[in-house]
Amino acid sequence: MSYILLFFSAMAAQWLWSSQFAFWGLAPQLLLVLTALVAAYRGPILAMCLGFFWGLFLDVSSPHLFGANALALTMVGYGTGSVRRQIDVTGAGSLSAVVFLMTWAYFLLLGVLGLVFMEGFLWIGWPSFLACPFYNVILVWVVAVAPPFIFLGKSRN
Amino acid sequence: MQREARIANYFLAVFGIISLTLLSLPLSGPVRVFKACLVYLSDPAAYRGAKGVEKIADVPDRIRGLLAADIENRLMREEVKEASWARAEAQALKAENERLRAVLGLKASPGYTSIWARVLERDPLHWYHSFMVDAGQKDGLALNAPVLGKGAEGLSVIGRVVEVRPRSSLVLLVTDELSSVAAHLSSSTVEGLAQGQGGARLIMNYLSEDASLTLGDLAYTSATSATFPPGILIGRVARVFPRDPFLTFQSVEISPALDSGRLSEVLILKRQGSP
């Protein structure tokens, strides 16, 4: 039940933030951050499921490719889950580093999918490419003390 | 952990296949309409800017028309906001100009009001010579009224009214052999006379021998023009003729800023005080 609540409230928060409170057109990617957080604390399977459907939501609400965000967020969940098996990613520092790198990986994957399925590389622009990873890292620190984090739990299973 | 990794691989394969299938399949019309409308309702910013309409290129016609009209409407509202400021600024400058002219004892320049008119017909035999417009004496037009067109670079010279009828007028184009406009080039203050040749281009003669002329220079109407207000764009220098030792001036070829053959509406200036 709590995951369903997380699923819908995260979508609402992402939409609200990106459409109403974007700062110079830049907004943190809450869904990406949450996918990485879920993967870090609850494992890749749940993260991939949530990431895939969050991605579909982003695809529906984006004028670009349909399916690109779903694949990219699934990969974020999978990637973070794979890293989790090697190192402890529940620490704030390591989690920030993972989210930072996953953000760039996410952008590059979207770009490559654009290259394959559209006419050219789907480039989000330098401001987003450079600023969003930092924005997301800040969000990691904010979300880590927010209610969704509480039910995710701090213990690794 | 191994079991989790194995299941994760299965999930990755399943979600990957579904995503790639979604990416590969062309979306049906209703799905595209739904997606475009949802995006537009949730975040219209995605469609703002010059490339906004391109993003809905694959949406069926009627919905695309609606969305494109709304995008255009938003862009025009922004333009109107900017224009209202520019207008206020222009009015302030005009008032200041008039005050300074009065202080210096200069004759006040004639003010203009404008009227838009539609191009009624063109004579195929005189394509670069003239066309008829649907405004005439009843709209307050007089002989020699300047006729301008609006293009990407703003207003530019098209011609002048040479025949006024009750509800229509004949416009003689600047490209006609009988047309000539006093003009100056953007890179210098040298004046010349832009003369129609009966073709698509004009020749600007009587430019000073010492003037350095460059391709791409813009030609504007001069303050000494009897017909046109100063500073209206005529065209761009398309060719600089080599200096002729037997002539005391230089010449350039001007490519008009607007192709009169493409115009459907023109702006005609009326001197203030005329009905």
Side-chain angles (χ1 to χ4, degrees), chain B residues 7 55 99 105 114 118 131 133 137 147 156 187 209 240 255:
Chain B
I7 296 171
K55 291 179 185 170
R99 188 166 47 77
S114 60
R118 288 206 177 113
F131 58 62
V133 292
Q137 204 171 21
V147 180
S156 56
S187 65
E209 273 185 298
V240 178
S255 171

Side-chain angles (χ1 to χ4, degrees), chain B residues 115 133-142 164-169:
Chain B
I115 175 176
V133 292
D134 69 348
Q137 204 171 21
K138 296 203 170 175
D139 301 292
L141 292 195
V164 184
R165 298 173 191 174
R167 292 193 182 279
S168 61
S169 302

Side-chain angles (χ1 to χ4, degrees), chain B residues 41-252:
Chain B
L41 286 173
S42 64
D43 185 17
Y47 292 121
R48 276 189 203 138
K51 290 189 175 174
V53 181
E54 286 176 24
K55 291 179 185 170
I56 48 170
D58 57 346
V59 176
D61 284 348
R62 280 194 291 181
I63 302 298
R64 187 174 63 227
L66 271 174
L67 295 182
D70 193 61
I71 293 166
E72 198 177 351
N73 188 25
R74 281 166 191 272
L75 288 173
M76 289 179 87
R77 274 169 194 261
E78 282 168 20
E79 273 181 33
V80 167
K81 272 186 202 166
E82 283 170 22
S84 62
W85 166 244
R87 187 179 172 182
E89 204 173 19
Q91 278 172 344
L93 287 171
K94 192 180 167 190
E96 185 184 60
N97 184 277
E98 280 169 8
R99 188 166 47 77
L100 291 172
R101 275 178 176 275
V103 169
L104 291 170
L106 293 172
K107 191 182 166 193
S109 61
Y112 290 96
T113 56
S114 60
I115 175 176
W116 282 97
R118 288 206 177 113
V119 177
L120 282 179
E121 61 177 85
R122 291 185 177 86
D123 185 349
L125 295 175
H126 302 99
W127 198 255
Y128 294 108
H129 297 249
S130 60
F131 58 62
M132 294 291 294
V133 292
D134 69 348
Q137 204 171 21
K138 296 203 170 175
D139 301 292
L141 292 195
L143 275 178
N144 289 322
V147 180
L148 313 176
K150 190 170 186 318
E153 292 174 294
L155 289 174
S156 56
V157 170
I158 293 297
R160 63 192 166 95
V161 173
V162 289
E163 190 181 317
V164 184
R165 298 173 191 174
R167 292 193 182 279
S168 61
S169 302
L170 183 68
V171 174
L172 186 74
L173 302 175
V174 280
T175 45
D176 185 275
E177 298 102 320
L178 297 175
S179 283
S180 57
V181 187
H184 70 89
L185 294 175
S186 56
S187 65
S188 63
T189 53
V190 288
E191 274 201 25
L193 194 66
Q195 297 171 297
Q197 302 296 307
R201 291 187 168 175
L202 300 93
I203 303 281
M204 190 168 168
N205 288 318
Y206 309 119
L207 293 163
S208 165
E209 273 185 298
D210 306 324
S212 82
L213 308 170
T214 46
L215 280 176
D217 262 6
L218 298 174
Y220 293 98
T221 55
S222 162
T224 55
S225 170
T227 307
F228 294 95
I232 307 285
L233 182 65
I234 299 173
R236 200 176 284 276
V237 173
R239 187 178 162 199
V240 178
F241 292 110
R243 292 184 191 204
D244 187 335
F246 297 104
L247 292 177
T248 55
F249 60 83
Q250 297 187 80
S251 303
V252 293

